[in-house]
Every structure is written in structure tokens, then in C-alpha cells.
Amino acid sequence: MAAPSPVVVVTGANGLVGAAVCRALAERSAQVRAVVRRAGGAPALDGATEHVGDFADEEFARTVTAGADAVVTTVHPMGSGRDEQHRVGAEGTAALAHAARDAGVDRLVHVSTAGVYDRSHGIGDVAEDGALLPEGSGAYPDTKNAADAALARVDGLTTVLVRPPAILGAGGTSVWNTLRPRAIRDGDRKANPAQTFAWVHVDDLAALIADVATGAVPTADDPERGPVAGATTPVIVAGEPATLRDYVGTVTGALGIEPEWTDEPVWTGQLRADRARGWGWTPRVGLAHAMGELREGLSSEA
């Protein structure tokens, strides 16, 4: 008898990452519970059902996680004030994790960020055990660190903190393909061309998340081989090396404007994705393709 399809809850299913995760899960024949705040926002996919509500609401969280095998959390109101980021990103995500644990969910996969790591000038390469930024480093890293810490305190779950850098991929809510280019167009174009531009394509990020959520990546005693059962395991996902010359140069070239290159001390190390590769992950989207997609999207808008 064939094993039943895993049931996976995905919050923020209307967002860039959430929608990509839903697609990747559907490709793996998972049953997806796509959580959105407004009706009609979830992607239309075979095996996916839309669930409208606030995942931080205790009753809704209990209902949507009942009978699920895994939960994927992708929501963080990045552009909001610190209080809102903490309420939604840290408190809300932790509340959902507690509901998932109480419902008997096996795995929780949380989209954290590589932005929690100290990547100052001279730091060198950064792996999962790298130094985290201290409190007071900014609303975004502070609240993302708070969310990760809150999830680590939820006993009884196998929790994976997926830590991507800049996420590339076409879409109206894409920070690096849409929002950041707008800021560059409007004058914010100073950058040291040698600074590392750590990135990953949204499709490659979604592939790892889907594999972890569906159990294609088995648990292990060693975090270098898989998530540790009943514990919290961070994993960095990053594509091939790139610099701001690649990214800002592509954006300014597509927009027909000149970059403003600087020479201040910057981070030139790399994010080490050795752990993700040890779990069987291999990025499929190369830098040339990602920059081409970015260039094409910006050129069509222009």
C-alpha cells in the first residue's frame, strides 16, 4: 500500500517564498494547507486548500494544524515597525509552533534569515555556528533572532531554522527583484563592488524546505547529515559566490543608470552551505540565470 501524502501547513502562502514552497510541495504530492489572511490569495494547485485566518490566533492555529505532518512558517512583516515584527514574527510564530506541537505535528520548518549572523568586515566565511548579531543591531535581525530563540524553546518538535540570504525570484513582493531595485532607481545606489552579495533563488530555497517538510531529508544524530529529531537545527542555504558588482551592476544596467561605487571596508567572506549540501540539497539556479531573470524583469518594467 502506498504511503499517504504528507499534510503540510504553509503560512504566508501568498508571498514570494510561501507560494514557491506550496508549488514545491505540490510537485512532491503533498497535501498543502495554504494559510493566507485574505481569501483568494493562495496559489491554485492540485492538492492545495486555502485556509483564511491569523495563524497567531489560538483557535485557528489548532484547527489548521490538526492532523498535519509538518508546518512551514514564512511570514515576517519585514517593513513594519519593531513592535509589529516582534508580535507577528516572534510571538505569532511561536504560538503556531505550540499549537503544532500539541497537535502532534512532527516537523516545523521556519524561514529565518542569514541576516542574524555577524558579517562585518574581516569576519571571513560564516557557517551555522557563526556569531549572531547582538541585540540592538536593528529591528529585523533583533526580531528574527527573537523568533528563532522562541522556537528553540518549544519542546517536542523537530524544528529546522532555514537561513537564506538575499532571495532572488520574480514577483511583486520580491525584495531583491522588485523593492530593492526601486530604491536603487530612486537614488540609493552607493555600494562597494567588492562586498559579498550572498543570495539564493526562491525555487532552490523552496526545494530544500519542501524536502525537509515532507521527510525526504531524514532526521539524524549529526546535524551535518540531517535535522536532529526533537531539537532545533539551523541550516544555511546560499547559491554560488557573487558580489555587489554583480547585483547592483545588473540593476543599474537594466535601469539605464550609473552605480555609485565606494571603497569602505566590507564583508567579503562567504556563507557556507555545506550542511544543506550534506542533506542532499544542490542549487539548480546559477548566478547568470538569476541575474538574467532580474535584468529581464527590470527591463520590461522600464
Side-chain angles (χ1 to χ4, degrees):
M1 180 180 294
S5 299
V7 177
V8 184
V9 178
V10 180
T11 68
N14 58 315
L16 178 74
V17 176
V21 170
C22 288
R23 292 193 299 269
L25 287 167
E27 290 170 0
R28 290 156 176 78
S29 299
Q31 299 297 306
V32 181
R33 296 177 183 173
V35 177
V36 294
R37 291 296 301 271
R38 297 175 182 83
L45 299 165
D46 289 342
T49 56
E50 182 176 81
H51 294 257
V52 181
D54 180 357
F55 63 81
D57 177 78
E58 185 176 339
E59 183 176 353
F60 178 78
R62 281 200 307 267
T63 300
V64 81
T65 58
D69 298 292
V71 171
V72 177
T73 62
T74 75
V75 176
H76 190 95
M78 184 176 179
S80 302
R82 175 184 291 269
D83 290 346
E84 180 69 0
Q85 289 191 50
H86 187 85
R87 184 187 69 81
V88 176
E91 295 176 0
T93 302
L96 178 62
H98 279 99
R101 187 269 316 278
D102 294 344
V105 171
D106 181 56
R107 293 188 179 197
L108 185 139
V109 186
H110 172 62
V111 179
S112 178
T113 175
V116 298
Y117 291 111
D118 185 355
R119 292 181 284 171
S120 305
H121 169 66
I123 287 292
D125 291 352
V126 173
E128 284 80 8
D129 60 354
L132 300 178
L133 288 170
E135 178 72 20
S137 296
Y140 183 64
D142 286 356
T143 53
K144 292 296 275 188
N145 265 323
D148 291 357
L151 290 175
R153 291 192 292 269
V154 182
D155 296 329
L157 272 176
T158 298
T159 300
V160 177
L161 306 176
V162 181
R163 289 177 171 164
I167 302 170
L168 298 182
T173 60
S174 171
V175 171
W176 294 96
N177 268 49
T178 305
L179 303 182
R180 180 67 183 127
R182 288 177 188 166
I184 292 174
R185 178 199 61 196
D186 293 341
D188 185 10
R189 61 190 73 142
K190 291 183 178 180
N192 185 323
Q195 182 173 339
T196 296
F197 178 70
W199 69 282
V200 68
H201 194 273
V202 67
D203 291 342
D204 286 330
L205 172 62
L208 175 70
I209 292 171
D211 283 344
V212 173
T214 57
V217 179
T219 57
D221 295 332
D222 180 356
E224 302 309 317
R225 294 189 292 108
V228 177
T232 299
T233 308
V235 59
I236 291 172
V237 284
E240 64 185 277
T243 65
L244 284 183
R245 183 181 297 279
D246 296 308
Y247 177 73
V248 176
T250 297
V251 172
T252 54
L255 297 177
I257 57 180
E258 292 296 323
E260 298 178 19
W261 298 129
T262 61
D263 61 358
E264 74 279 7
V266 291
W267 181 61
T268 57
Q270 298 298 324
L271 288 177
R272 306 297 306 179
D274 300 344
R275 176 171 293 179
R277 291 177 181 274
W279 292 9
W281 177 76
T282 301
R284 305 296 183 188
V285 181
L287 180 63
H289 179 92
M291 291 297 106
E293 182 181 62
L294 172 62
R295 186 182 302 107
E296 182 179 353
L298 294 174
S299 298
S300 64
E301 287 184 9

